[in-house]
Amino acid sequence: MSARSSAGFVLVTAAALTAALATPALAAAPSAAHTPAQLTQAIASHESHTLHGLAKPGKVNATVSSTNWSGYAATGATGAYTSVTSSWTQPSVSCGSATTYSSFWVGLDGYSNSALEQTGTEADCIGGKATYGAWWEVLPASESAYSGVTVKGGDKFTATVTYSGSTFTMTLADSTEGWTKTTTHAGSSGFKNASAEVIAEAPEVGGSVASLANFGTVNFTGAKADGSNLDTFSPNEIVMTKSSSSAVRAQPGSISGGSFSDAWKAN
């Protein structure tokens, strides 16, 4: 190559590099591979969050077990609670070939009756892929996915359910992604507002309790009912166990100042 040709090559290369650096928006554009699969309504329509296998339902300020809930539930008479809230960091899941599910939410009712108004997130393994999403639910209907949102592991969430005297307002905010979703509803038929929960769960999928995705540990903070820390109501601690044995699936830590952790143990 002649000196003239070499110089021309250098000039063209430098010009191309300058043009590339002058368009940072293109360079910084996120790859689709960096956005995990998201919950669809087709998936959500098969999921529900009904409590299963509760042992010792009449106990107060006790440790009880369930085959699909883990966390804390404050219980009382009809009308005892009109709001519940908590914050958490969305867990990430590493997926193999198994299809597994996990959900994290706050709700009113559901512990001692068939009513439940709730909102939260999930971290699933579907078709070998980590799948994340956000949803609300009023029993007996299945969950409804929030549309037009992105959920990723590590996102910071705050969820609130409030009863105003005529309707329930369910609000979920992702401060990391910068979105908030709010749904109002008349509530479940026969609602009592007799309990307030902050829960990690293996949801019901297709009518059966699902295998629990390995979510590691989720840390709930600011857990409150009616504006006071959940622990001031002497809530029941709910340990998730297998239906065929007493083996633990998920275990909450002690609650203090409205904060507790919940750890995956087995699917």
Side-chain angles (χ1 to χ4, degrees):
M1 180 182 292
S2 69
R4 182 182 179 85
S5 298
S6 298
F9 177 77
V10 172
L11 288 173
V12 169
T13 302
L17 178 60
T18 300
L21 293 176
T23 55
L26 293 177
S31 167
H34 294 160
T35 299
Q38 298 294 300
L39 176 70
T40 64
Q41 186 54 36
I43 296 171
S45 64
H46 296 285
E47 295 191 41
S48 182
H49 303 275
T50 304
L51 177 63
H52 288 266
L54 179 65
K56 306 177 186 177
K59 296 288 185 179
V60 177
N61 193 21
T63 298
V64 301
S65 64
S66 160
T67 56
N68 70 321
W69 285 15
S70 180
Y72 284 89
T75 62
T78 297
Y81 304 99
T82 57
S83 72
V84 61
T85 187
S86 188
S87 299
W88 64 90
T89 298
Q90 175 72 7
S92 299
V93 287
S94 297
C95 300
S97 59
T99 296
T100 56
Y101 297 80
S102 62
S103 293
F104 317 95
W105 53 266
V106 304
L108 293 173
D109 273 333
Y111 182 84
S112 56
N113 56 47
S114 59
L116 184 55
E117 301 81 22
Q118 56 184 163
T119 189
T121 65
E122 62 186 83
D124 308 328
C125 292
I126 301 175
K129 294 182 179 180
T131 302
Y132 300 97
W135 52 268
W136 64 275
E137 181 178 70
V138 173
L139 290 179
S142 59
E143 75 175 31
S144 293
Y146 288 120
S147 61
V149 301
T150 297
V151 177
K152 297 179 181 179
D155 285 2
K156 309 294 185 184
F157 282 93
T158 298
T160 303
V161 178
T162 301
Y163 178 64
S164 67
S166 59
T167 58
F168 291 86
T169 300
M170 294 159 280
T171 301
L172 185 67
D174 184 337
S175 61
T176 304
E177 305 293 333
W179 58 259
T180 299
K181 290 287 188 176
T182 298
T183 301
T184 58
H185 196 282
S188 300
S189 176
F191 70 84
K192 297 182 181 298
N193 289 345
S195 61
E197 303 91 17
V198 179
I199 298 293
E201 180 192 28
E204 177 185 304
V205 180
S208 300
V209 174
S211 294
L212 181 63
N214 185 349
F215 61 83
T217 299
V218 58
N219 296 306
F220 292 103
T221 60
K224 298 178 183 290
D226 293 347
S228 297
N229 288 336
L230 197 63
D231 38 304
T232 63
F233 297 94
S234 300
N236 286 350
E237 176 188 20
I238 308 171
V239 179
M240 192 191 309
T241 59
K242 290 182 178 291
S243 59
S244 59
S245 69
S246 59
V248 175
R249 304 178 76 194
Q251 173 76 57
S254 59
I255 185 170
S256 177
S259 297
F260 69 96
S261 62
D262 210 305
W264 180 91
K265 299 295 184 181
N267 61 16

